[in-house]
Amino acid sequence: MWDRYAEADRELIYPGGPSKGHLNRLIELFVPCPEGNIEKIAVDVACGTGALFSFIIDKIKPDRLDGIDWSEKMLEKAKKEIVRLQKEGVTNRFNLYCYDVSTAPLPYADKFVSAVVSNLAICYIPGGWKKHLMELSRILRNGGYLYIGTLIDTWTFGKVPLDGVKDPVRARKYREMIVQISKEAKKHGAEFPSQEQLIHSLKVLEFKNIKINFTFHRNGLVLRAQKKSKTP
């Protein structure tokens, strides 16, 4: 279903719209990977078209950035974004993987990566977000950072504000598409978490320094949480 989303030229419909505000709040939370004598790897889970790649490189500062997405069409656009960044002089290494993160473990060993970004993904995971959150935690090194953007349980399908709309007709069609995607995901067990559920689960998974900002008129949120370092 995500190939349909890749085909929508969203920026022509919502220039500076509500999703951009959500992304900006997420980017504000980015901090550099913890220092150490190891390769700093960041993973963008459900990376889509690579919209966050330049910000992850600039602010999280990994040596290597991996992008994972369900949709080959999304990744085709992500490849173009990597080419653009490389032309601008970015020397970080990139990997892209077409991978259904809802059906299998992520392709990393335990405690392998320094940062994980997952934007607008956990709320659409078939089978629910809790198992996916556990998988994100599994691959993250102690001291590493997890960044999540999600819709939450107060979200009402189809009520995306039309502020700043450039083309109202296309905007309504785009909104209808998002409604359909959300309904399809929920048919397969996807859940929109509450703020309280997320915080509780993060604490159970031994995260600390949890910082949350609300987005989408308090119908979504972004967060940063740090995996606790084990003391000898």
Side-chain angles (χ1 to χ4, degrees):
M1 65 182 176
W2 293 107
D3 283 346
R4 280 178 283 155
Y5 192 84
E7 292 168 357
D9 198 347
R10 189 193 177 289
E11 283 305 313
L12 294 178
I13 305 170
Y14 283 101
S19 287
K20 188 170 183 180
H22 171 89
L23 285 178
N24 287 341
R25 298 304 300 274
L26 179 62
I27 292 163
E28 288 171 3
L29 295 175
F30 288 174
V31 295
C33 290
E35 293 296 329
N37 297 322
I38 52 176
E39 183 181 33
K40 291 178 285 188
I41 301 170
V43 182
D44 188 351
V45 179
C47 66
T49 62
L52 287 171
F53 285 177
S54 63
F55 302 101
I56 293 172
I57 293 296
D58 182 54
K59 294 182 176 295
I60 297 179
K61 303 184 185 301
D63 301 312
R64 178 181 123 195
L65 173 56
D66 292 356
I68 299 175
D69 202 86
W70 294 264
S71 166
E72 291 184 2
K73 289 186 177 180
M74 289 280 197
L75 291 176
E76 287 172 6
K77 293 188 176 184
K79 287 177 184 177
K80 293 179 181 179
E81 175 63 7
I82 291 172
V83 170
R84 184 189 71 80
L85 292 171
Q86 290 172 334
K87 286 181 178 179
E88 292 183 355
V90 170
T91 58
N92 306 68
R93 283 173 288 120
F94 293 91
N95 292 311
L96 293 177
Y97 302 104
C98 189
Y99 200 80
D100 185 349
V101 300
S102 68
T103 59
L106 291 168
Y108 302 98
D110 295 354
K111 298 179 173 59
F112 190 75
V113 306
S114 300
V116 177
V117 179
S118 178
N119 181 49
L120 296 179
I122 67 169
C123 51
Y124 291 119
I125 294 289
W129 58 271
K130 292 181 181 178
K131 184 177 179 181
H132 184 61
L133 185 63
M134 291 175 63
E135 185 63 7
L136 301 182
S137 173
R138 179 187 68 79
I139 68 172
L140 191 60
R141 291 171 178 150
N142 294 333
Y145 289 98
L146 173 65
Y147 304 92
I148 288 177
T150 185
L151 303 174
I152 57 176
D153 61 341
T154 56
W155 177 262
T156 301
F157 294 136
K159 292 190 177 180
V160 177
L162 296 179
D163 302 334
V165 167
K166 188 174 181 179
D167 185 336
V169 174
R170 290 182 66 193
R172 288 187 178 88
K173 289 182 179 179
Y174 178 87
R175 188 168 65 178
E176 290 168 4
M177 180 188 68
I178 298 302
V179 170
Q180 188 59 38
I181 287 174
S182 298
K183 287 182 177 179
E184 283 186 41
K186 288 181 77 67
K187 284 181 183 178
H188 293 89
E191 302 172 319
F192 287 13
S194 69
Q195 176 193 4
E196 293 76 19
Q197 287 174 322
L198 273 175
I199 291 174
H200 174 74
S201 294
L202 288 168
K203 288 181 177 179
V204 169
L205 293 169
E206 299 190 311
F207 282 90
K208 63 178 183 178
N209 301 329
I210 303 169
K211 181 174 177 57
I212 289 177
N213 292 324
F214 287 102
T215 61
F216 292 117
H217 303 275
R218 297 187 72 86
N219 293 304
L221 62 79
V222 295
L223 67 84
R224 179 183 69 220
Q226 186 177 25
K227 195 75 178 288
K228 289 183 179 179
S229 297
K230 302 296 183 181
T231 52

